[in-house]
């Protein structure tokens, strides 16, 4: 009887540890080196390229190793209104080449090799054999910490990650559109936020 009780007690901390999802908390946008304020909206874009930065957000998943750049996006709304975020995010390099963000659902399906013309598998409503998420980036943090907020009330801050299939290049920036007044649907000005690594 004592052995059974001991096994049960020892298994409880293990179960808690397995579901220990520590929340990722961003700093205020103005505290990141790359930030911009327009129309009382402040946006920060911070590349997470070092091992310690990636570990703090994604655990053991090393996105940079596999050619993906995670960018922390922080948006603060002080407009006095609720804003709608129908975001379109593009990575723009020093030569003005635009690259759209990679959906987080594609990253978890990444098979670990970049081949010419590689594309993520086509999504289907019914799981098919051979489409299991077994790649090196199959971790809940990739999708769980992606930027997904659609409405941001006045005085609030939202954060999450965007992903780009590119290395971090000097002189690059985030080009962001799709921020609207939730009541009128009127667009706010676009943002161009430089990518600057934290010291």
């Amino acid at each position: 009887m004592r052995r059974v009780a001991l096994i049960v007690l020892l298994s409880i901390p293990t179960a808690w540890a397995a579901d220990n999802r520590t929340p990722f908390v961003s700093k205020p946008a103005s505290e990141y080196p790359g930030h911009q304020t327009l129309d009382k909206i402040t946006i920060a874009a911070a590349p997470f390229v070092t091992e310690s930065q990636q570990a703090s957000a994604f655990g053991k998943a090393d996105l940079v190793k596999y050619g993906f750049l995670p960018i922390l996006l922080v948006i603060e709304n002080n407009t006095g209104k609720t804003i709608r975020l129908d975001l379109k995010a593009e990575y723009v390099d020093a030569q003005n080449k635009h690259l759209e963000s990679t959906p987080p659902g594609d990253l978890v399906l990444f098979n670990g090799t970049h081949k010419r013309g590689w594309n993520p598998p086509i999504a289907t409503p019914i799981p098919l054999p051979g489409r299991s998420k077994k790649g090196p980036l199959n971790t809940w943090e990739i999708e769980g910490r992606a930027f997904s907020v659609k409405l941001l009330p006045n005085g609030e801050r939202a954060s999450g990650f965007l992903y780009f299939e590119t290395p971090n290049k000097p002189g690059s920036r985030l080009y962001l559109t799709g921020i609207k007044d939730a009541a009128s649907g009127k667009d706010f000005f676009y943002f161009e936020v430089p990518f600057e690594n934290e010291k």
Side-chain angles (χ1 to χ4, degrees), residues 130-143:
R131 287 184 46 83
S132 60
K133 300 177 181 180
K134 294 182 180 177
L137 302 179
N138 177 23
T139 174
W140 71 267
E141 289 95 341
I142 302 291
E143 291 180 287

Side-chain angles (χ1 to χ4, degrees), residues 50-97:
T50 67
E51 266 186 44
S52 62
Q53 285 174 327
Q54 289 190 87
S56 71
F58 308 110
K60 294 180 180 178
D62 188 345
L63 284 82
V64 173
K65 174 183 174 182
Y66 291 103
F68 295 98
L69 178 64
I71 298 291
L72 175 65
L73 174 65
V74 184
I75 301 179
E76 293 177 358
N77 176 19
N78 292 299
T79 62
K81 307 171 182 178
T82 296
I83 57 176
R84 190 167 81 238
L85 303 174
D86 298 329
L87 299 181
K88 180 180 178 184
E90 296 179 19
Y91 174 97
V92 184
D93 65 17
Q95 287 71 45
N96 209 37
K97 181 180 176 182

Side-chain angles (χ1 to χ4, degrees), residues 2 16 21 36 41 50 54 65 91 95 113 118 133 179:
R2 287 183 183 176
W16 289 339
R21 297 186 176 185
Q36 182 183 54
I41 299 171
T50 67
Q54 289 190 87
K65 174 183 174 182
Y91 174 97
Q95 287 71 45
T113 59
W118 178 86
K133 300 177 181 180
I179 301 176

Side-chain angles (χ1 to χ4, degrees), residues 120-193:
I122 297 170
T124 61
I126 302 169
L128 299 174
R131 287 184 46 83
S132 60
K133 300 177 181 180
K134 294 182 180 177
L137 302 179
N138 177 23
T139 174
W140 71 267
E141 289 95 341
I142 302 291
E143 291 180 287
R145 292 190 170 150
F147 194 95
S148 60
V149 174
K150 296 300 182 186
L151 286 173
L152 188 61
N154 177 55
E156 297 293 322
R157 178 172 84 219
S159 65
F161 285 89
L162 303 171
Y163 308 102
F164 297 92
E165 192 175 352
T166 181
N168 190 25
K169 302 173 185 175
S172 298
R173 60 199 186 275
L174 176 69
Y175 181 80
L176 198 65
T177 58
I179 301 176
K180 305 172 186 287
D181 181 323
S184 69
K186 181 182 176 183
D187 280 290
F188 285 90
F189 204 64
Y190 68 86
F191 285 76
E192 281 193 295
V193 187

